[in-house]
Amino acid sequence: MEAHGGGGGSGSLRRVLVLAFCVAGIWSAYIYQGVLQETLSTKRFGSDGKRFEQLAFLNLAQNVVCLIWSYMMIKIWSTRSGSSSSMGAPWWTYWSPGITNTIGPALGIEALKYISYPAQVLAKSSKMIPVMLMGSLVYGIRYTLPEYLCTFLVAGGVSTFALMKTSSKTINKLAHPNAPLGYGLCFLNLAFDGFTNATQDSLKGRYPKTSAWDIMLGMNLWGTIYNLIYMFGWPHGIGYEAIEFCKHHPEAAWDIFLYCLCGAVGQNFIFLTISRFGSLANTTITTTRKFVSIVVSSVLSGNPLSAKQWGCVVMVFSGLSYQIYLKWRKLQKLQKKRKPL
């Protein structure tokens, strides 16, 4: 966690309370969003017992909510600061990351038709694997032995979990059980996320005054445009099917609204955490949140895991925790070098 100058004991207490507020916000928003996501992908709604098959519609709904939210926050911030215009990246520069940010999450949500929610969370936690593969094969980056150890723990845990037999209770809840397809969609999601993150970093480098709200607005603007074309661009698009489903099953519409609201609130807490405590603290909070999400899914949502599967979960999060520790140690060394003698 990054250190900032404080004002004595009261300042330290205030920072601890703000951090606790951020942890509570991120955990509650995203854990509940995970429960809603799993509910929408597995529940049979109404007396006819139909499933909500148009899961990609969740991305459009969240794009619209986050677009409105970010626009309001930019307006509020500009009013408070007295600035009428943003000096960040122009809106049109987000068109390419907007494509991958539209396709990637859609693939991740679609995977829930084929694999359980805990399996999806584990697979999506292995983002470091494609990053290190691309870094070493394409850019010739050399990684340390501890970094390879982290990757081995994560890759080993995810692959072993994938090869284990899923309980019949969990399989019966899935719309179309197909583990290879589900994991394949998750890893494609990670690949698209990698491009999205790299492009966002590039935009931040070219336009240093770009704020988190600018990025949120630009990404969700293009996501809304692409999803509207994809879902409503022809007479029998899935957008029409999703709206028709919600008309006949209002409880599904309510779950979708809450899902989107959780995403918008969660992003606010993430931005607050990064601005006050740095990206390392945010990574730690979100990583532990994923572990808790698996526990909640297993206990509350009826996805029982065997002792061996729990061993794989621990293996993955041990690798992620060790990676966080390595980042923290590297940060401490950099801070010592910057300190004046």
Side-chain angles (χ1 to χ4, degrees), residues 173-196:
K173 291 178 66 178
L174 300 176
H176 311 286
N178 187 330
L181 178 57
Y183 283 105
L185 289 172
C186 284
F187 287 118
L188 280 174
N189 179 13
L190 291 179
F192 282 114
D193 281 352
F195 177 83
T196 301

Side-chain angles (χ1 to χ4, degrees), residues 6 28 48 71 93 117 129 143 160 196 201-202 204 221 296 298:
S28 57
D48 52 2
Y71 178 77
T93 57
Y117 180 72
I129 299 172
Y143 297 97
T160 307
T196 301
D201 289 342
S202 174
K204 282 280 288 183
L221 172 64
V296 170
S298 179

Side-chain angles (χ1 to χ4, degrees), residues 228-271:
L228 281 173
I229 294 171
Y230 167 62
M231 295 182 194
F232 296 96
W234 48 84
H236 300 289
I238 67 168
Y240 298 108
E241 296 175 7
I243 290 175
E244 194 65 27
F245 185 93
C246 290
K247 283 181 180 178
H248 291 95
H249 306 89
E251 65 272 31
W254 179 246
D255 284 346
I256 291 170
F257 172 73
L258 289 177
Y259 172 88
C260 299
L261 193 61
C262 285
V265 171
Q267 286 191 41
N268 276 274
F269 278 108
I270 283 177
F271 295 153

